[in-house]
Amino acid sequence: MKTYQIATIPGDGIGQEVVPAGAQVLQALAQASGAFAFAFENFGWGGDYYRAHGVMMPADGLDALRGKDAILFGSAGDPHIPDHITLWGLRLKICQGFDQYANVRPTRILPGIDGPLKRCGPRDLDWVIVRENSEGEYSGVGGRVHQGHAIEAATDVSIMTRAGVERIMRYAFRLAQSRPRKLLTVVTKSNAQRHAMVMWDEIALQIAAEFPDVRWDKELVDAATARMVNRPATLDTVVATNLHADILSDLAAALAGSLGIAPTGNIDPERRYPSMFEPIHGSAFDIMGQGLANPVGTFWSCVMMLEHLGEAAAAARLMAAIERVTADPALHTRDLGGSATTVQVTRAVCAALAG
């Protein structure tokens, strides 16, 4: 029987509640299946680790993760630590260190959840947003000079490489090709950003020639936000830069009902390193420790992890259990307008898996 080695990194805030819930659900799934098992190793990196050691994770942390089959991550963010330290010191250190260049964020309206687009049915909002996850606006290139003086200046340089754009475009076209509608929207801002984004557009056109069965169009990022609200059914698979997709995917999650239900996969498509799966929500310190966190985003991230590991049947079984639970309004957490707790939702999903 295959035993998958999974690293769990709860991180900060409600990550410390939803990641253990995700591990509990995965154990219940393994027990119900009998076809595989999980061995979890927990890493207590994050804000508390930073206060004790001055870094978010140890210098050799990547080596501890390298041999794992996958990583289940919670959230990074602490109100007492600057955001750029928590993000770059943990999550981005892992994403960039393991070249997880495809950030994949599926969005659809789950059963029982009331989305804010009243004219939008579940079939009208079924998207996958592919986010370039290794360069672009989050390359980390830039600096500050003359700090504290009137002439102080700061720069952040967006770096796009042909290799980086080609591989994310090819990944997005392949993903679109695998979905029933075979439809891809390339998000750009080449009307204003006339160098890197123009190259982005040119490479999209070149890669499109490799996928003649995929219909595709191009949309400016500002127009894309309006299209997501006004014409959601015209979208299916979307590819965008690191910053653009970061923003668009939060809008997508809100339109589907809540950031609490949205999953993410940070994927190394070549499988040289472990990929990392996480809910889209942040650390939400305002509800930390109150048992109010919605674990569905973590559970759906576990579905993505199972798909990546090749356990398609198990992934489908877990997704069905999640949908069975969301269909019951009594099991909605506060972000969905209900009063259910993290523990209650977790127990309900485990019970659905056992039943």
Side-chain angles (χ1 to χ4, degrees), residues 14-172:
I14 61 171
Q16 299 178 21
E17 300 168 59
V18 296
V19 166
Q24 183 180 342
V25 162
L26 286 172
Q27 291 284 38
L29 176 66
Q31 185 175 357
S33 168
F36 53 82
F38 295 103
F40 296 98
E41 183 176 359
N42 191 65
F43 296 87
W45 303 333
D48 291 339
Y49 191 90
Y50 179 84
R51 278 181 278 272
H53 302 280
V55 290
M56 293 291 289
M57 63 181 284
D60 61 352
L62 292 179
D63 292 333
L65 302 174
R66 200 177 304 274
K68 302 298 183 184
D69 292 301
I71 304 164
L72 184 61
F73 186 83
S75 58
D78 187 303
H80 307 294
I81 303 172
D83 287 342
H84 68 278
I85 291 177
T86 58
L87 181 64
W88 282 95
L90 185 56
R91 184 185 175 277
L92 288 185
K93 186 172 182 179
I94 297 171
C95 289
Q96 294 193 353
F98 286 153
D99 200 20
Q100 298 165 344
Y101 66 83
N103 180 273
V104 182
R105 300 188 172 192
T107 304
R108 58 185 173 88
I109 301 175
L110 297 179
I113 293 179
D114 183 24
L117 295 181
K118 301 305 178 186
R119 293 175 294 169
C120 177
R123 294 184 180 179
D124 294 329
L125 200 165
D126 185 354
W127 306 330
V128 178
I129 296 177
V130 177
R131 171 186 175 186
E132 199 293 312
N133 205 38
S134 65
E135 50 182 39
E137 302 89 348
Y138 295 173
S139 297
V141 177
R144 293 175 65 181
V145 295
H146 308 302
Q147 293 187 43
H149 298 280
I151 58 171
E152 181 173 355
T155 61
D156 277 295
V157 182
S158 175
I159 301 294
M160 293 189 191
T161 65
R162 172 165 289 276
V165 178
E166 283 185 353
R167 68 183 185 177
I168 198 63
M169 286 292 176
R170 196 167 279 116
Y171 183 93

